[in-house]
Amino acid sequence: MAKVALEEWKEQIRTPEIECMSRDEMSALQSERLVKQVKNVYDNVSFYRKKMDDAGVLPGDIKGIEDIGKLPFTTKEDLRDNYPFGLLAVPKEKIARVQGTSGTTGKLTLASYTQKDVDVWGECVARGLTMAGLSAADRIHVCYGYGLFTGGMGLDLGAQALGAMAIPMSSGNTKRQLMCMEDFGATAFACTPSYALYLAEAAAEAGVAERLQIKASINGAEPWTEEMRKKIEGILNINSFDIYGLCEITGPGVAMDCIHHKGLHVYEDYFYPEVLNPADQSPCGDGETGELVFTTLAKEGMPLLRYRTKDLTSIERAACECGRTLPRIQKFTGRTDDMKVIRGVNVFPTQVETALLSMGGGVAPHYMLIVDRENNLDVLTVMVEVDEKYFSDEIRRLDGLKAKVGAVLKQALGVSVRVKLVEPKTIQRSEGKAKRVIDNREL
């Protein structure tokens, strides 16, 4: 199926009364919901009652959305400390489902949803699928993992809300994925961007890419770049869209980009975004990078006030060319907890990906960062796969390529690196979130 050019795209908006609402109308809606939510958590969640009492804040102090800065923050550590059901605002009997992510302590980060929360989740994902040009006539191949991870279930709920056919493949078994995409006539698929690229490469290698009816891919759950988007789109001749979410807030469907790809529209009628300076928590201006913080304005089961996501981004509040007035967060530069400081320089994996994909050939967009400490100095080694057609070149040409990669990475990162060129398909492919960094330092 041919990729739809921007000028031919028929932009559809699922809920224009919300997605195109004026700023004043949206602020009024957010204020009404925030005031109710603050009273709700103060009355029903002992954790928040104590937090607010310690901060000297009472529900009556919150008159509108402009007062949100008076409220205390919530962190992932708070969720772990109250595992599994300590943050519920409703009786457990009203919880329709739980979702979770793995935690560093061995305990899950668990989020609880009422049926209304589940319905809102599906509706928000459906808004995003509509942004991608999808409708009830489409067949959506979901190869995110199902289970406690929110990816598979979120896209499944969105397809249901849209009225589209959901194909619940889950992850793994790439050969079978491609067979079912072709046999079922899938018109869209959803997975992590790293697995989308893997699927695209596998489809091209197997000679099935041109037979697929895919027109769009919905990719998220890990940071990726415009260069990777173009790579996926180029191989499959499709449009690719970035979706964002986290299970604590509502899984995928918190935000998604439209065909203009100038930021991810946040569904701020449900999830109020702040972008704050990580050092002092002061608000960042439009275009300034900071930590993304969310307040769930209408969630029933486990509402969260000012949840610190650790995702680094900036926000733009001007209306988009698509007609939506929802604010847009930009592609993430990384997270405060996957950023690596190498000899005093902040390094994100996405910087490496952008640099490699900008080279225009010689290396593949598959890499691994390995950080060691030698003689009290940090050493960064970047393993990079060589393109198939280059790997058989003579040593002199490979040495030249290695030097070129090293120079490009030093320019991009601001720090010198060791480059290790490896054979094609040497670096393990991911069917979930790609593991990009191994840090061997004892910090």
Side-chain angles (χ1 to χ4, degrees):
M1 186 173 288
K3 179 178 178 179
V4 180
L6 177 59
E7 59 272 16
E8 299 171 358
W9 195 265
K10 291 182 174 57
E11 189 73 55
Q12 297 184 40
I13 301 177
R14 181 173 171 85
T15 52
E17 69 279 7
I18 294 293
E19 297 172 74
C20 303
M21 187 177 275
S22 73
R23 297 308 314 163
D24 287 346
E25 291 174 314
M26 181 60 75
S27 293
L29 176 61
Q30 292 169 333
S31 293
E32 178 187 345
R33 289 183 170 178
L34 179 65
V35 168
K36 286 179 62 177
Q37 189 70 286
V38 169
K39 185 176 188 310
N40 175 40
V41 298
Y42 188 86
D43 289 345
N44 295 297
V45 185
S46 59
F47 165 80
Y48 277 120
R49 185 162 53 254
K50 183 176 187 307
K51 271 239 177 187
M52 290 176 62
D53 286 346
D54 288 347
V57 181
L58 294 172
D61 298 328
I62 308 302
K63 313 285 187 191
I65 200 69
E66 67 277 2
D67 294 322
I68 197 165
K70 298 176 181 179
L71 295 168
F73 292 106
T74 310
T75 67
K76 182 162 281 194
E77 289 69 32
D78 293 328
L79 270 62
R80 291 181 183 134
D81 290 345
N82 289 277
Y83 170 90
F85 299 119
L87 293 179
L88 292 188
V90 298
K92 281 198 283 288
E93 292 74 19
K94 291 191 175 181
I95 297 301
R97 70 178 306 106
V98 294
Q99 301 287 158
T101 60
S102 58
T104 56
T105 62
K107 294 288 189 181
L108 296 169
T109 299
L110 195 71
S112 300
Y113 299 70
T114 65
Q115 186 57 52
K116 182 182 176 183
D117 295 334
V118 173
D119 294 341
V120 167
W121 183 13
E123 171 58 30
C124 288
V125 177
R127 290 181 186 176
L129 296 177
T130 305
M131 280 189 200
L134 303 180
S135 69
D138 284 289
R139 297 172 293 280
I140 304 172
H141 181 106
V142 182
C143 39
Y144 279 116
Y146 281 69
L148 284 172
F149 173 61
T150 57
M153 183 54 64
L155 269 296
D156 201 297
L157 291 168
Q160 290 180 45
L162 190 64
M165 178 193 296
I167 305 172
M169 291 299 298
S170 196
S171 58
N173 199 336
T174 299
K175 185 176 180 180
R176 187 166 177 260
Q177 299 272 6
L178 294 174
M179 179 190 75
C180 291
M181 277 187 185
E182 183 178 3
D183 292 350
F184 302 167
T187 56
F189 73 99
C191 61
T192 61
S194 55
Y195 191 50
L197 181 57
Y198 183 36
L199 276 171
E201 292 174 335
E205 190 174 305
V208 302
E210 293 183 0
R211 300 202 301 268
L212 298 176
Q213 297 180 46
I214 300 292
K215 61 184 177 182
S217 66
I218 315 299
N219 309 122
E222 62 189 19
W224 55 310
T225 60
E226 285 301 311
E227 290 79 8
M228 180 173 273
R229 181 203 301 281
K230 291 171 184 174
K231 189 91 171 176
I232 296 166
E233 290 183 338
I235 295 173
L236 294 177
N237 198 27
I238 63 173
N239 296 102
S240 295
F241 297 85
D242 194 354
I243 193 168
Y244 171 74
L246 56 169
C247 84
E248 302 94 315
I249 303 301
T250 197
V254 173
M256 186 162 151
D257 65 352
C258 65
I259 190 64
H260 298 280
H261 303 309
K262 293 184 178 178
L264 284 74
H265 294 276
V266 180
Y267 304 127
E268 62 171 342
D269 53 323
Y270 290 116
F271 320 113
Y272 183 76
E274 299 174 84
V275 176
L276 305 178
N277 185 317
D280 62 7
Q281 289 79 55
S282 61
C284 293
D286 283 14
E288 295 179 358
T289 298
E291 181 182 0
L292 183 60
V293 174
F294 276 115
T295 295
T296 58
L297 295 175
K299 198 169 186 184
E300 293 182 336
M302 199 181 91
L304 297 180
L305 301 181
R306 308 190 81 197
Y307 181 72
R308 300 186 63 167
T309 68
K310 299 188 178 181
D311 286 318
L312 295 173
T313 186
S314 61
I315 196 165
E316 174 62 58
R317 292 181 175 84
C320 179
E321 296 168 60
C322 70
R324 292 176 179 85
T325 55
L326 300 171
R328 288 164 286 149
I329 52 174
Q330 299 307 306
K331 270 189 171 294
F332 300 108
T333 55
R335 288 171 54 84
T336 58
D337 57 356
D338 75 3
M339 178 183 74
K340 297 298 176 183
V341 180
I342 311 296
R343 300 196 294 277
V345 177
N346 296 341
V347 173
F348 294 98
T350 48
Q351 294 172 297
V352 174
E353 179 178 300
T354 299
L356 294 178
L357 286 166
S358 72
M359 291 183 58
V363 295
H366 300 292
Y367 61 94
M368 178 73 73
L369 278 63
I370 303 171
V371 189
D372 295 289
R373 180 157 287 174
E374 298 177 6
N375 299 319
N376 295 318
L377 291 176
D378 295 334
V379 176
L380 174 61
T381 301
V382 182
M383 293 175 60
V384 184
E385 287 187 6
V386 179
D387 278 349
E388 192 88 45
K389 60 185 178 182
Y390 289 89
F391 195 74
S392 59
D393 283 350
E394 60 190 40
I395 298 297
R396 180 173 56 83
R397 291 194 63 189
L398 287 175
D399 285 345
L401 179 60
K402 181 178 178 179
K404 181 181 177 182
V405 172
V408 168
L409 290 178
K410 183 175 181 180
Q411 176 69 27
L413 305 178
V415 63
S416 59
V417 305
R418 294 176 181 174
V419 176
K420 183 178 181 181
L421 300 180
V422 298
E423 294 183 41
K425 301 183 180 177
T426 300
I427 296 173
Q428 184 176 0
R429 300 297 194 263
S430 171
E431 294 174 349
K433 288 193 179 184
K435 183 174 177 59
R436 300 294 196 191
V437 183
I438 298 174
D439 195 338
N440 296 319
R441 298 172 298 177
E442 295 182 3
L443 299 179

